[in-house]
């Protein structure tokens, strides 16, 4: 074992923090603003097919590396695992089943996040407490719990160490990273240790993008000031949380890094099986669009929930081809917008034919989902007279301040909106660079 950044113990240590600079609004690990990324030219040729990795090339997750080390980090401890259906091995077995069957690990509890341990609950819900029928282990619900309330759950479960292993999707408002944050803070209060088993950021990690949260807008879709598309893995975020935001009471944190993952890698290049992290995240392509199109949760348009392509289609009743034409006229790098029609089966506009756009990402390296999301907000407001924000101004929670909403309402263009967050993003990128584990 080696000591990684900030004195945190990990199996792999720090591998490096070199990245590439992105376009304005998408800062690389070196923090440069205004430079074009490695494939950032507008109109770049469509990406070729992704080569299926050979077994020898496959990414090894943190769990695999923990197992290969004989679970040494967990020896002599009563263990609880925070996980969901994504906590699987390379051959698609669930880690709870594997750990429970191994006499070297004393697994005593499971903790379920939003959507639940089995992943059946929709957004804003959980499965509650239960007992896992396969192992007989108690399953505790962490959703909507934090601070001392969550610390009491860990104490009641009788655990010494809380292990976190959940597949994230790379966006600040995807709540699993804040479940990690809340578990770290609660574990510190309860005197427990935390072990984070790392998994890939499925949309890569070359750069951060989007606005940085202002603390006055903190919520469960953003506890602390990080960029909307953070470009980090769960273990890297845990190191950042402990070093920057929990420094007053840091948790005893250990991370187990992956092997074989590089920052430019997208999920299809990892050789790992994809399990939907939540009911409306069916594919890695969904994750690629999510950081931008989830902004439409803050509007009266459907973000595609209740369709087979959530977050890849956006629209509402009464929208026609003019929106797609206006979005394409922006000539945003890496993406085309196709006129689309769909009928949601739940969530907004249930049973109604919606017109809108479908995102076609033709160059993943060049594509900036946050810039694309802003482009769609700007053009939707101009092309459709029915455009409106949710009355609770949820968009402000999603973007991390009221700046996007007020600027769009004032008629600002995409580059003006994106440029508004450049300075804050550059500062975050500099901090982020201190905690990166992979090249």
């Amino acid at each position: 074992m080696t000591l990684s950044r900030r004195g945190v113990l990990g199996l792999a240590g720090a591998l490096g923090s070199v990245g590439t600079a992105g376009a304005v609004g998408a800062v690389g690990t070196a923090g440069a603003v205004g430079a074009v990324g490695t494939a950032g030219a507008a109109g770049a040729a469509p990406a070729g097919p992704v080569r299926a990795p050979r077994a020898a090339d496959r990414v090894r997750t943190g769990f695999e590396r923990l197992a290969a080390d004989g679970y040494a980090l967990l020896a002599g401890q009563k263990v609880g695992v925070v996980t969901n259906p994504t906590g699987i091995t390379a051959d698609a077995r669930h880690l709870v089943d594997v750990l429970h069957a191994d006499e070297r690990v004393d697994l005593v509890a499971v903790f379920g996040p939003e959507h639940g341990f089995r992943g059946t609950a929709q957004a804003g819900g959980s499965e509650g407490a239960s007992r896992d029928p396969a192992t007989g282990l108690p399953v505790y619900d962490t959703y909507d719990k934090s601070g001392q309330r969550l610390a009491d759950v860990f104490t009641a479960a009788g655990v010494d160490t809380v292990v976190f292993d959940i597949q994230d999707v790379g966006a600040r408002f995807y709540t699993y990273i804040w479940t990690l944050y809340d578990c770290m803070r609660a574990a510190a209060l309860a005197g427990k240790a935390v072990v984070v088993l790392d998994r890939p950021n499925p949309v890569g990690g070359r750069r951060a993008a989007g606005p940085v949260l202002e603390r006055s807008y903190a919520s469960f879709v953003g506890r602390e000031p990080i960029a909307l598309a953070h470009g980090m893995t769960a273990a890297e975020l845990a190191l950042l949380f402990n070093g920057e935001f929990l420094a007053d009471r840091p948790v005893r944190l250990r991370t187990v890094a992956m092997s074989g993952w590089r920052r430019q890698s997208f999920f299809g290049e990892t050789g790992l099986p994809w399990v939907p992290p939540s009911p409306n995240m069916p594919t890695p392509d969904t994750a690629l669009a999510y950081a931008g199109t989830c902004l439409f949760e803050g509007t009266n348009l459907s973000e595609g929930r209740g369709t087979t392509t959530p977050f890849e289609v956006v629209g509402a009743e009464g929208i026609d081809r003019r929106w797609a034409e206006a979005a394409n006229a922006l000539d945003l790098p890496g993406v085309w917008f196709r006129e689309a029609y769909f009928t949601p089966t739940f969530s907004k506009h249930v049973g109604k034919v919606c017109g809108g756009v479908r995102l076609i990402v033709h160059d993943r390296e060049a594509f900036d989902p946050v810039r694309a999301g802003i482009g769609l907000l700007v053009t939707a407001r101009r092309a459709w007279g029915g455009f409106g924000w949710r009355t609770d101004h949820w968009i402000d929670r999603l973007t991390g301040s009221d700046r996007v909403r007020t600027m769009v309402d004032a008629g600002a263009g995409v580059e003006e909106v994106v440029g508004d967050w450049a300075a804050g993003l550059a500062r975050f990128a500099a901090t982020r660079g201190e905690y990166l584990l992979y090249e």
Side-chain angles (χ1 to χ4, degrees):
M1 284 179 215
T2 58
L3 283 174
S4 58
R5 289 180 176 81
R6 305 282 170 151
V8 179
L9 200 61
L11 286 179
L15 300 180
S17 59
V18 178
T20 55
V24 174
V27 180
T29 54
V33 181
V36 179
T38 54
V50 175
R51 177 182 64 85
R54 299 172 300 174
D57 297 336
R58 184 177 58 77
V59 169
R60 263 66 180 178
T61 65
F63 175 78
E64 290 182 78
R65 301 196 70 206
L66 177 76
D69 198 48
Y71 304 108
L73 286 180
L74 307 181
Q77 301 162 67
K78 293 186 181 300
V79 176
V81 178
V82 183
T83 192
N84 67 1
T86 67
I88 61 170
T89 63
D91 58 357
R93 293 177 295 156
H94 199 278
L95 68 91
V96 167
D97 298 326
V98 175
L99 291 174
H100 181 260
D102 198 306
E103 62 183 14
R104 294 171 294 181
V105 180
D106 186 8
L107 182 63
V108 300
V110 179
F111 304 101
E114 183 181 10
H115 307 293
F117 171 49
R118 295 185 181 85
T120 62
Q122 284 292 336
S126 63
E127 295 169 339
S130 65
R131 190 165 290 274
D132 178 36
T135 63
L137 291 167
V139 180
Y140 297 84
D141 185 12
T142 71
Y143 183 62
D144 202 29
K145 298 179 179 68
S146 60
Q148 190 60 52
R149 186 180 177 202
L150 183 54
D152 291 343
V153 172
F154 292 155
T155 299
V159 301
D160 303 312
T161 295
V162 177
V163 174
F164 181 93
D165 191 343
I166 295 177
Q167 178 64 62
D168 183 42
V169 302
R172 184 182 62 226
F173 37 59
Y174 206 58
T175 61
Y176 297 145
I177 62 171
W178 304 114
T179 294
L180 170 60
Y181 174 90
D182 288 342
C183 286
M184 291 172 63
R185 184 176 286 281
L189 290 172
K192 314 298 182 183
V194 170
V195 173
V196 178
L197 306 181
D198 214 7
R199 289 185 179 271
N201 184 323
V203 299
R206 292 183 302 115
R207 60 181 182 257
V212 175
L213 175 83
E214 295 179 8
R215 275 208 172 94
S216 59
Y217 290 86
S219 70
F220 193 42
V221 293
R223 297 280 197 220
E224 297 286 357
I226 66 172
L228 195 159
H230 49 72
M232 302 178 78
T233 68
E236 292 172 335
L237 282 166
L239 294 172
L240 184 145
F241 292 162
N242 219 34
E244 301 295 326
F245 307 134
L246 302 176
D248 58 330
R249 191 165 187 171
V251 71
R252 287 181 288 130
L253 173 66
R254 291 167 291 182
T255 65
V256 186
M258 298 173 282
S259 64
W261 188 75
R262 295 188 176 276
R263 310 208 73 82
Q264 71 271 22
S265 298
F266 293 89
F267 195 86
E269 301 166 74
T270 65
L272 298 172
W274 175 262
V275 175
S278 57
N280 290 288
M281 195 63 62
T283 72
D285 286 340
T286 317
L288 191 61
Y290 176 76
T293 52
C294 187
L295 297 176
F296 280 85
E297 280 191 358
T299 74
N300 60 347
L301 284 79
S302 167
E303 62 277 7
R305 294 182 189 272
T307 76
T308 57
T309 52
F311 303 107
E312 295 181 68
V313 294
V314 186
E317 280 190 290
I319 297 179
D320 60 24
R321 69 181 186 282
R322 287 173 290 184
W323 185 21
E325 291 171 352
N328 279 320
L330 297 174
D331 198 23
L332 296 175
V335 63
W336 299 313
F337 301 99
R338 184 176 68 81
E339 178 187 1
Y341 297 90
F342 55 93
T343 304
T345 59
F346 64 87
S347 193
K348 301 173 187 171
H349 306 294
V350 176
K352 299 176 181 177
V353 176
C354 296
V357 299
R358 176 166 185 172
L359 282 72
I360 308 294
V361 178
H362 62 85
D363 186 338
R364 294 173 305 175
E365 295 282 347
F367 177 59
D368 178 346
V370 187
R371 182 186 293 268
I374 297 299
L376 288 173
L377 288 173
V378 167
T379 52
R381 189 179 185 282
R382 295 173 180 174
W384 182 49
F387 178 88
W389 306 106
R390 269 176 45 172
T391 56
D392 61 359
H393 287 169
W394 184 243
I395 187 66
D396 298 353
R397 299 293 180 184
L398 295 173
T399 59
S401 77
D402 65 356
R403 292 291 295 162
V404 167
R405 175 175 55 83
T406 57
M407 291 183 76
V408 170
D409 281 347
V414 176
E415 298 308 313
E416 186 179 354
V417 175
V418 171
D420 184 68
W421 66 59
L425 180 59
R427 289 191 295 272
F428 170 74
T431 301
R432 167 184 178 269
E434 299 180 29
Y435 297 97
L436 300 182
L437 297 173
Y438 311 93
E439 295 182 343

